[in-house]
Amino acid sequence: MKRVSKNLLFCSVGRRGELIKNFKASLEIQSRIIATDCSQFAPALYFADKPYIVPRIDDPSYLKALLKICKAESINAITTFIDPEIEILAKNRKIFEEIGIEVLAPYTETAGICFDKYKLYQHAVKHNIPTISTYGDIEEFKNAYTNGQAVLPVFIKPRTGSGSVGVRKVEKIKELEQLMAEDRSLIIQKHMTGFDIDADVYVDTISKKAVRIFSKKKLESKIGGATKTISFKDENLVQTIQKIIASLNFNGPIDVDFFYEDGVYYLSEINPRFGGAYLHAYGAGVNFVNCIINNLQGIENDPDFYSYDNGIVMMMYDSVVIRKENELAK
């Protein structure tokens, strides 16, 4: 089937300029990438074919602004680069679908489970998916600690946070009690000592199955994600990911984090969107944009999990966008 032009809307693009550049390079010349952000100082805006400044995602007029852009730019698919917006797109899927737009985001229940780390832990336990021991409050942890089922140190983190913000290692029970009393939104997780693993996954919008998986070990991470990674392939990880996908309802790109310890991949969290380190997958030849375009044309993608090389290293670095003030998006 001949590829036809398609227009993609990427929301809340922030600093993801390299992602936008790669996506543009993958599209037919007639296709366009439209980008939005609430700040005219979001550098990724200036790599899109057309940028839009929109209200904050918690503004009551936000959805209306997105729909106006979709109609004006003949958008075929929409997605976001930030976690808090995923549920907005998921909950309003029908509104977008009614005007012919594919929402590259999970369905509502799955979006809620992935955004809440404790709910994700409970889901994994229910479905016999290896996961990191997680405690929703200090009482639950102390019961496990007293019974010898939990040990210190542990990590605490926001139940609905993203980008490693607020993550902290705690070594003493008194300190843990104090921190949990001060902030009831925190959860407690076992301190893992194995390898930190990340997988970029594309879930076909037709078959609802994983059709692309790119696995990488994190060599260096900073707030916001991995900055140095090295690729690897493992059939056991592929099987674990397929089990996760089968237990939830995804649609499009997702980013899945694991810890590998004692021969087991333990699920850490799922971000059902493009991860910033998807740049590594793209550079290694694993192209999700082609999968999206196929789906938009009604073509189901065949699974392909191993057509990249082991030992490909990604080393992320900073760059800049320079514009005159009067050239900024309005």
Side-chain angles (χ1 to χ4, degrees), residues 57 62-64 66-67 78 85-99 101-103 105-108:
I57 65 171
Y62 181 67
L63 181 62
K64 183 178 179 180
L66 286 188
L67 291 169
I78 184 172
E85 189 171 9
I86 293 169
E87 281 195 272
I88 295 173
L89 296 182
K91 289 177 179 177
N92 292 285
R93 180 182 304 277
K94 187 175 180 180
I95 296 174
F96 289 103
E97 289 181 341
E98 286 175 349
I99 56 175
I101 298 171
E102 180 73 60
V103 178
Y107 289 79
T108 304

Side-chain angles (χ1 to χ4, degrees), residues 35-208:
T36 71
D37 203 276
C38 64
S39 170
Q40 64 181 164
F41 301 110
L45 286 172
Y46 303 99
F47 295 100
D49 292 295
K50 189 169 183 179
Y52 280 89
I53 304 302
V54 294
R56 289 173 52 90
I57 65 171
D58 55 2
D59 189 298
S61 66
Y62 181 67
L63 181 62
K64 183 178 179 180
L66 286 188
L67 291 169
K68 184 177 180 181
I69 294 168
C70 287
K71 293 173 183 178
E73 301 295 342
S74 300
I75 296 300
N76 300 104
I78 184 172
T79 193
T80 179
F81 287 171
I82 63 170
D83 295 323
E85 189 171 9
I86 293 169
E87 281 195 272
I88 295 173
L89 296 182
K91 289 177 179 177
N92 292 285
R93 180 182 304 277
K94 187 175 180 180
I95 296 174
F96 289 103
E97 289 181 341
E98 286 175 349
I99 56 175
I101 298 171
E102 180 73 60
V103 178
L104 298 171
Y107 289 79
T108 304
E109 183 180 6
T110 294
I113 289 171
C114 292
F115 191 57
D116 186 318
K117 294 179 179 63
Y118 190 62
K119 284 184 179 180
L120 181 61
Y121 164 75
Q122 292 175 313
H123 174 87
V125 170
K126 179 180 178 181
H127 290 85
N128 297 312
I129 297 166
T131 189
I132 301 173
S133 297
T134 302
Y135 309 92
D137 54 44
I138 188 64
E139 289 76 18
E140 185 180 0
F141 174 78
K142 286 173 72 174
N143 285 337
Y145 183 71
T146 301
N147 294 330
Q149 298 171 330
V151 296
L152 292 165
V154 293
F155 275 102
I156 59 170
K157 60 178 65 174
R159 182 167 172 161
T160 59
S162 61
S164 300
V165 175
V167 176
R168 179 173 173 179
K169 184 178 179 181
V170 182
E171 301 194 20
K172 296 181 179 180
I173 192 71
K174 290 294 184 184
E175 181 186 9
L176 183 62
E177 289 174 333
Q178 180 180 345
L179 291 169
M180 294 298 289
E182 291 173 353
D183 188 348
R184 296 287 183 178
S185 70
L186 297 174
I187 58 171
I188 303 167
Q189 285 193 331
K190 177 183 176 181
H191 176 225
M192 303 296 286
T193 58
F195 294 115
D196 198 351
I197 302 297
D198 182 75
D200 297 295
V201 182
Y202 185 79
V203 177
D204 194 89
T205 65
I206 299 172
S207 70
K208 305 302 181 185

